[in-house]
Amino acid sequence: MALKTLDHVNIRTKNLDAMVAWYGLVLDMHPGERPPFPFPGAWLYANDAAMVHLVGVIQAPAPYRPDAQLEHFAIQAEGLAEFLAHLRKEKVAYRCGVLPEMGIQQVNIHDHDGNHIHVDFAPGEEADLTDYDGN
């Protein structure tokens, strides 16, 4: 067996509508086809793939724990300069980094509920990688 890509991430949220709006605005992911589960939720699509599955919960998600096992999820993308300009336009804070020796450029953001996401870009893409505080 050879694993190739991550199919999707499933996130529980008490803020379903706000999360759907955030992923649409910031990452251009939008609700699409979803099985008729007996609980609220949304499958958010990008390029015809359901990348983020949101599950609406009545109780608040578990509080942040520094020892949590899932620290982040990552998405590969193209168009680094345009993405950073979009984040600044929408006042979304980000922190940038470059993987040593590999050169992969990472843009670290947090969704409406505080989940850490990094969006990865190829080493050859040029952009100002100065961190942005959202103001």
Side-chain angles (χ1 to χ4, degrees):
M1 171 176 66
L3 301 178
K4 294 186 178 185
T5 61
L6 178 67
D7 183 63
H8 69 272
V9 174
N10 192 13
I11 302 172
R12 295 181 333 140
T13 180
K14 187 176 179 183
N15 304 300
L16 183 60
D17 292 340
M19 288 283 276
V20 168
W22 188 91
Y23 278 89
L25 179 68
V26 176
L27 295 176
D28 199 26
M29 292 184 187
H30 302 283
E33 186 176 353
R34 175 180 178 262
F37 295 119
F39 51 85
W43 284 12
L44 305 178
Y45 286 73
N47 297 322
D48 299 322
M51 298 179 91
V52 174
H53 294 184
L54 298 175
V55 175
V57 296
I58 296 171
Q59 298 174 335
Y64 172 77
R65 292 181 11 212
D67 64 339
Q69 298 303 306
L70 179 64
E71 194 280 328
H72 72 269
F73 66 95
I75 302 168
Q76 286 186 335
E78 295 177 338
L80 175 58
E82 295 84 1
F83 183 61
L84 295 177
H86 173 69
L87 294 178
R88 287 190 300 274
K89 175 181 173 264
E90 298 301 336
K91 301 202 179 304
V92 174
Y94 61 82
R95 182 178 45 83
C96 294
V98 178
L99 291 181
E101 297 185 16
M102 297 179 79
I104 295 170
Q105 302 173 100
Q106 297 179 331
V107 180
N108 294 274
I109 58 178
H110 292 83
D111 70 17
H112 182 272
D113 280 2
N115 298 299
H116 178 195
I117 305 159
H118 65 76
V119 183
D120 297 346
F121 297 86
E125 293 205 40
E126 296 203 12
D128 176 0
L129 297 179
T130 304
D131 295 345
Y132 174 67
D133 68 3
N135 293 313

